Amino acid sequence: MPIPIVEASDALRQFAASFAACFTAAGYLHFVTVLLGLIQAPERRTLSGLRRCVVGAGSLSALSRFCTSSAWTAALLAETWQARFHQQLAPWIPAEHARQRAARPRRRGRPTPTRVTAYAIFDDSPIAKHAQGRKAPMAGVGRHYSTSAGGVVTGHSLFAGLLVLLGRRCPLPPRLYRQRAVAEREGVPFRSKVDLAVEAVEQLRPLPGTETHVLVDAWYTCRRLWRAALGRGFRITGGLRANRRLRLPDPERPGQARQVRLSAYVAGLGPGDFVLVPWRGRLVAAHLVRTFVYKLGACQVLVVKEAPDAPPGTARCWASSDLEADVATVARHAATRWEVETFLQEQKELLGLDHYQMTSAEGIERFWYLVACCYLYLDEVRAGLAAGGQTNPTLGDAQRHEQAVHQHRLLTWLRGQFLHGATVDYVQQRLTA
């Protein structure tokens, strides 16, 4: 049943109010409509689907213009939600430093410095789009490999980023990646995925009192991104392909180094070279070596297998610029990269990130920005549930909580309408207007 826009929850209205400066009065109404619709829509989250969930949302054409051409900028929206995240996390950071100082053991010598790490995680995700029956072709459509589909799909490629700090998550500005042929056909400058990652790292605003750690998969682990992260004083951990080369001591020539392919190094490791470390709720076998990776520089290389005696071909490898970390810490860095996979999946399954039908590139990116903004709100709700005592609440729990709040407000609104003498026909007309 549609929710009157005036009956949005107090928390949602307060959240939306912090973005009022980004929009005109009419645009702000559409902004609240999109947020409320993304939370409430049961199935397809197209613009018409969002509008059906909200009473008082205005016309579909006006909502479409809001997403494609009205006077608001996606960059300002992203700056505002990141500033909100920074403001909320600012008091948490010194509190975490204090907690670490209180927990560290007393011993002689200089105490170990406390460290609060903010992870900036980047990845891309294909979104399948079919052109059949469309009056106008969608901009930016290309052919991209999809792991879930097990092959190449036709559609868009979303480059996304996520900032993870102290259990909270903040989306970073999404970008539309175009292949070179697509960019040339549409007359726009070509930006590779590495270009987008380097730009994102260069534009990233770190939080005071934290160490920023960039996490990427093997596709992005290259010299340019490595230098961009280190140049800003960030740490970086990235996946390694088996054909990367390491510089290791030569046992046959003392004092000399030899070049070894990573796959050969992993094949030479025995079960005794691994230790068990935590990895996303389970224990895995991990091996860590300080070395030099060609085109990256001095690194620690992490090798992870499900068990110490698992076949070498099942191993996954990462390089990390965190040269002082132990094996468990580097494994935690690498495991945290999975947060961006969960982030992308939640946006698709819970918020309809891939349900858009806009044809312009600007409209598509704007829709992604609005979904990211809604994700930030639900993450705030999730954090509130955790503070209230709920154990490990998910983003889905936060969405269901918000839906229950809005259903309660709707029932309260209906009760008020009937107590004031409204007829069933009048209320039905109001809800279907």
Side-chain angles (χ1 to χ4, degrees):
M1 185 175 292
I3 305 294
I5 194 170
V6 295
E7 295 301 323
S9 67
D10 295 336
L12 180 60
R13 285 188 288 179
Q14 292 169 1
F15 175 84
S18 63
F19 297 88
C22 300
F23 306 100
T24 63
Y28 178 73
L29 178 66
H30 294 311
F31 175 64
V32 177
T33 297
V34 172
L35 293 181
L36 186 56
L38 288 173
I39 294 170
Q40 291 296 131
E43 296 177 359
R44 298 292 294 175
R45 289 171 174 84
T46 59
L47 294 185
S48 57
L50 300 182
R51 183 176 174 274
R52 283 195 296 269
C53 294
V54 183
V55 177
S59 67
L60 179 60
S61 60
L63 186 59
S64 177
R65 287 193 299 272
F66 166 75
C67 289
T68 58
S69 60
S70 64
W72 61 276
T73 62
L76 179 59
L77 184 66
E79 290 175 8
T80 305
W81 85 54
Q82 291 179 83
R84 179 182 176 89
F85 180 81
H86 285 213
Q87 182 180 12
Q88 290 182 344
L89 272 292
W92 294 24
I93 297 169
E96 175 61 16
H97 281 292
R99 186 198 66 79
Q100 292 182 21
R101 285 192 296 268
R104 66 189 175 193
R106 295 182 178 275
R107 60 184 63 173
R108 292 182 178 181
R110 181 175 298 177
T112 303
T114 58
R115 179 190 293 187
V116 178
T117 302
Y119 291 102
I121 319 171
F122 300 99
D123 201 3
D124 58 272
S125 179
I127 298 176
K129 288 293 174 182
H130 303 286
Q132 290 88 346
R134 297 190 181 277
K135 296 181 180 179
M138 278 187 169
V141 171
R143 291 179 59 78
H144 309 279
Y145 182 80
S146 170
T147 303
S148 58
V152 176
V153 298
T154 299
H156 295 125
S157 179
L158 163 66
F159 175 82
L162 180 68
L163 192 64
V164 178
L165 174 62
L166 299 176
R168 290 288 309 277
R169 301 168 183 85
C170 176
L172 297 173
R175 296 284 300 275
L176 173 64
Y177 164 71
R178 294 177 176 87
Q179 295 164 309
R180 185 182 298 275
V182 176
E184 292 175 353
R185 183 175 68 241
E186 297 181 358
V188 298
F190 170 70
R191 313 295 294 170
S192 70
K193 292 180 181 180
V194 172
D195 291 334
L196 297 178
V198 169
E199 289 176 4
V201 168
E202 291 174 345
Q203 296 169 6
L204 187 63
R205 184 160 62 94
L207 285 84
T210 68
E211 292 184 352
T212 302
H213 199 127
V214 176
L215 302 177
V216 292
D217 65 10
W219 181 271
Y220 294 93
T221 303
C222 64
R223 179 183 296 178
R224 283 187 58 210
L225 184 60
W226 210 264
R227 289 184 175 180
L230 297 182
R232 295 211 56 196
F234 301 160
R235 300 177 190 267
I236 180 170
T237 297
L240 283 183
R241 300 186 187 277
N243 61 355
R244 299 301 288 261
R245 295 186 177 274
L246 315 180
R247 184 190 298 168
L248 296 170
D250 191 338
E252 299 179 357
R253 296 181 300 167
Q256 300 295 317
R258 62 192 175 108
Q259 189 177 122
V260 180
R261 189 180 290 266
L262 179 58
S263 57
Y265 177 78
V266 173
L269 297 174
D273 295 315
F274 290 84
V275 296
L276 296 180
V277 298
W279 181 277
R280 297 178 54 221
R282 67 184 193 278
L283 292 178
V284 297
H287 169 81
L288 188 67
V289 59
R290 170 78 177 266
T291 184
F292 184 97
V293 179
Y294 285 86
K295 297 186 179 181
L296 297 183
C299 301
Q300 293 209 88
V301 171
L302 175 72
V303 182
V304 172
K305 297 195 294 184
E306 289 298 327
D309 56 352
T314 63
R316 292 167 292 169
C317 302
W318 287 264
S320 178
S321 68
D322 193 350
L323 302 180
E324 300 83 22
D326 59 15
V327 60
T329 301
V330 177
R332 185 175 70 248
H333 296 332
T336 303
R337 197 207 69 83
W338 189 259
E339 292 282 351
V340 76
E341 303 284 353
T342 304
F343 164 67
L344 291 166
Q345 196 66 23
E346 287 173 336
Q347 287 191 105
K348 291 180 179 180
E349 293 184 356
L350 301 178
L351 299 177
L353 176 72
D354 51 350
H355 293 181
Y356 57 88
Q357 294 180 340
M358 283 80 75
T359 58
S360 69
E362 183 179 9
I364 293 166
E365 285 195 338
R366 282 184 170 206
F367 183 81
W368 289 345
Y369 274 75
L370 293 170
V371 171
C373 195
C374 187
Y375 182 96
L376 178 67
Y377 171 68
L378 289 179
D379 187 72
E380 293 182 10
V381 174
R382 184 192 57 79
L385 294 177
Q390 185 169 335
T391 304
N392 297 325
T394 64
L395 201 77
D397 293 330
Q399 186 179 42
R400 287 186 289 272
H401 171 80
E402 279 294 289
Q403 291 172 347
V405 170
H406 289 132
Q407 289 169 2
H408 184 272
R409 294 181 71 95
L410 173 61
L411 293 173
T412 302
W413 178 81
L414 291 171
R415 178 176 179 272
Q417 292 291 314
F418 291 131
L419 286 177
H420 286 84
T423 65
V424 172
D425 290 339
Y426 171 78
V427 172
Q428 184 182 25
Q429 184 179 8
R430 288 285 305 275
L431 291 178
T432 57

